[in-house]
Amino acid sequence: MKKLFLSTTLILFSFFVFGQGHEIKIKIPHLKNDTVILGHHLNTQLIPDDTLVLKKGSGVFKGKKNKPGGMYFLFLPNKSYFDFLLDKQQKFTITTDTVDFLNNKTYLNSKENSVFIKYQRFLSDKSKEAKKLTDALKKDSTNSKLRKEVSVKYQQINKDMDIYFDKIVKENPDMFFITFLKATKQVDVPKSITDRQKKYYYYKEHFFDNVDISDPRLLRTPIYEEKINMFLDQVISQQYDSVIIAVDWMIEKSRTNDELFRYMLVHLFNKYASSQIMTSENVYVHIAEKYYIKEAKWSSKEFIDDLKEKVPKKKGCLIGAKGQNVKYQTLPPDSLSIDKLKKELAEFKRKGNEIDSSKSEKKVRYDEKVQLLSNYYTTFAGEKNLLDGNQEYTLIWFFSPHCGHCKTETPKFHKKWQEEFKGTGVKVVAIYLNEDIENWTKFCDDIGKWYKFVFDYQIY
């Protein structure tokens, strides 16, 4: 189904925290009269904010307002970059070179970034230890004694990392770096929970224990959107009612900040507008009706008016909605009557071609053919309503006699219905699709194929 959604390749955020302003001094002696770029992360995107020419290898990014908290980067002329953090303390000095950011970078007057770089170095050291173990195992993969030793050492590395993680979290509980670091951590299901289903429910219930999605600073990191999408796509049931509950919760949590709310609403709106999963349209319509039409003040009036027009039309076609009562003409339930219709088709075709060859206006000719078609339908078995009867379910089977899949599947489905579903409260209405009334000859020929299809497979 065609859906309406926004194009949001890039959303630039403008939420500012008023304070003492920012003053970030950069010292890179190797760069003289070179331009560096200051920017921020926005999920997987790198967004440039400002440029600076380093005269004699130094310069200052300066402004009267604090920058929004989050993870920032400094992009160098050699197309390499490094990350650092901004939060409450926004006046500090970064000193580094262009060769080894990790080991040669220092921060003056920024405890948070000093803790950040120290943690990065710790991870690097542990990664090197793990690589040595992996390389040793590759060289002697059949050595069972070595495999056991490597396994023990791997466990110790993981234990060391957990200890270090807990240590810096305990020592720096108020740092944004700790908020970010905890958000990267997966949920640990207690070993006491052994039942598979209970493990899943625990994991789902505690998925966001370490991730505060109401914190706008996390939006300016590479992990925010990843966490949201992972929960929506991989953790919760893909039934639309479950997704709607999760979407409502996320949107309400984002109301702590105007720009965070805007991001969340636009992201979820686009996500389910562009999804190829049928039940996603239920979620899309829910978001549009409950939130977007009412609260998306940033959208144009034309877009909102278009949405207002489309949403009511879509509501009747959603999974779980009661179908509209449609009138339709039925074919006769026997081969003799259908054979009679086939003979009448030649005269029907002739009359339509006469209308087409007349000098009347196009709309007049079209209306006359529609009336001719309506009269022809009256020779069928009669008119029925889609929702007639007391059946619990009505299945609508759309088909075309020249569709390869239809030719294969329709007879199978008809046989299945006769053998298993007939008389069980399941009604089937097979709808023949033929819209090409402008090409009258082809239109009539296709009707003939329809008759033959029904006759050959005896699906009256």
Side-chain angles (χ1 to χ4, degrees), residues 219-440:
L219 186 57
R220 290 176 173 257
T221 71
I223 64 170
Y224 190 84
E225 189 173 298
E226 175 189 342
K227 289 287 183 178
I228 290 172
N229 287 339
M230 182 178 177
F231 184 75
L232 292 172
D233 298 337
Q234 301 177 32
V235 178
I236 62 171
S237 166
Q238 292 305 293
Q239 299 297 324
Y240 66 84
D241 50 354
S242 297
V243 177
I244 286 173
I245 291 172
V247 161
D248 283 345
W249 178 80
M250 289 179 175
I251 291 175
E252 294 305 321
K253 291 288 284 185
S254 73
R255 291 186 184 276
T256 55
N257 178 279
D258 288 344
E259 296 299 332
L260 184 63
F261 172 72
R262 173 176 174 169
Y263 160 79
M264 183 69 79
L265 186 52
V266 170
H267 173 67
L268 295 177
F269 181 85
N270 280 348
K271 178 180 178 66
Y272 291 101
S274 59
S275 173
Q276 299 302 306
I277 300 173
M278 286 185 67
T279 53
S280 291
E281 191 149 41
N282 291 61
V283 185
Y284 160 73
V285 167
H286 172 80
I287 294 172
E289 186 174 47
K290 185 175 181 179
Y291 302 103
Y292 210 93
I293 289 173
K294 298 176 182 177
E295 301 188 68
K297 307 302 181 185
W298 54 84
S299 286
S300 66
K301 183 179 183 299
E302 291 75 18
F303 185 87
I304 297 299
D305 287 345
D306 196 23
L307 202 55
K308 285 179 180 178
E309 183 181 342
K310 284 180 168 63
V311 165
K313 295 177 181 178
K314 289 180 178 293
K315 287 182 72 175
C317 303
L318 300 178
I319 300 295
K322 185 175 180 180
Q324 299 296 306
N325 197 6
V326 178
K327 291 182 179 181
Y328 61 95
Q329 294 285 345
T330 61
L331 279 179
D334 62 272
S335 57
L336 290 177
S337 299
I338 290 179
D339 195 50
K340 181 174 178 292
L341 287 175
K342 289 171 67 176
K343 293 176 181 177
E344 294 173 352
L345 184 59
E347 179 63 13
F348 173 68
K349 181 178 179 179
R350 184 190 66 77
K351 290 180 179 179
N353 284 330
E354 283 184 357
I355 294 172
D356 266 343
S357 62
S358 70
K359 296 182 180 180
S360 302
E361 293 182 3
K362 183 177 180 180
K363 186 180 183 307
V364 173
R365 295 199 306 270
Y366 181 85
D367 291 342
E368 287 178 354
K369 285 190 290 184
V370 169
Q371 184 59 53
L372 178 65
L373 182 59
S374 180
N375 294 338
Y376 183 59
Y377 281 155
T378 60
T379 64
F380 284 17
E383 187 176 80
K384 288 188 177 181
N385 290 311
L386 189 62
L387 300 182
D388 281 348
N390 298 318
Q391 65 281 347
E392 188 173 358
Y393 296 101
T394 299
L395 302 181
I396 309 174
W397 183 270
F398 295 98
F399 77 99
S400 175
H402 40 68
C403 160
H405 294 298
C406 301
K407 291 178 180 178
T408 302
E409 299 300 327
T410 303
K412 291 181 183 177
F413 178 59
H414 182 251
K415 185 173 183 292
K416 187 84 170 174
W417 176 74
Q418 285 186 315
E419 294 175 351
E420 298 185 27
F421 299 126
K422 193 173 183 180
T424 62
V426 177
K427 172 185 176 182
V428 178
V429 178
I431 305 291
Y432 160 55
L433 298 176
N434 189 357
E435 300 176 346
D436 197 15
I437 194 173
E438 292 289 355
N439 188 340
W440 189 257

Side-chain angles (χ1 to χ4, degrees), residues 113-267:
N113 281 297
S114 296
V115 173
F116 180 31
I117 190 65
K118 188 177 178 181
Y119 181 72
Q120 288 177 305
R121 289 168 183 159
F122 172 80
L123 288 185
S124 177
D125 291 341
K126 291 300 173 184
S127 178
K128 290 175 183 176
E129 287 182 34
K131 187 177 185 307
K132 285 181 180 179
L133 295 174
T134 302
D135 291 344
L137 199 57
K138 285 181 179 178
K139 291 179 181 179
D140 194 3
S141 59
T142 59
N143 189 329
S144 58
K145 181 180 179 182
L146 178 62
R147 281 204 304 273
K148 289 179 182 179
E149 290 176 358
V150 168
S151 178
V152 170
K153 289 179 180 179
Y154 269 136
Q155 291 175 22
Q156 185 59 49
I157 289 174
N158 289 331
K159 185 177 179 181
D160 291 344
M161 293 176 67
D162 288 339
I163 291 172
Y164 191 85
F165 180 95
D166 293 338
K167 179 176 180 291
I168 61 172
V169 168
K170 185 177 180 180
E171 291 176 350
N172 309 281
D174 298 327
M175 281 186 180
F176 169 60
F177 171 56
I178 300 305
T179 301
F180 167 73
L181 190 60
K182 289 168 67 176
T184 65
K185 191 174 177 63
Q186 290 292 332
V187 177
D188 291 324
V189 179
K191 293 181 180 179
S192 58
I193 302 177
T194 56
D195 180 78
R196 185 176 180 181
Q197 189 175 39
K198 290 181 179 179
K199 282 183 177 181
Y200 162 71
Y201 283 121
Y202 181 93
Y203 182 79
K204 182 179 75 168
E205 184 178 348
H206 294 272
F207 184 85
F208 286 106
D209 281 2
N210 299 323
V211 188
D212 182 4
I213 66 170
S214 66
D215 190 336
R217 297 173 299 178
L218 286 177
L219 186 57
R220 290 176 173 257
T221 71
I223 64 170
Y224 190 84
E225 189 173 298
E226 175 189 342
K227 289 287 183 178
I228 290 172
N229 287 339
M230 182 178 177
F231 184 75
L232 292 172
D233 298 337
Q234 301 177 32
V235 178
I236 62 171
S237 166
Q238 292 305 293
Q239 299 297 324
Y240 66 84
D241 50 354
S242 297
V243 177
I244 286 173
I245 291 172
V247 161
D248 283 345
W249 178 80
M250 289 179 175
I251 291 175
E252 294 305 321
K253 291 288 284 185
S254 73
R255 291 186 184 276
T256 55
N257 178 279
D258 288 344
E259 296 299 332
L260 184 63
F261 172 72
R262 173 176 174 169
Y263 160 79
M264 183 69 79
L265 186 52
V266 170
H267 173 67

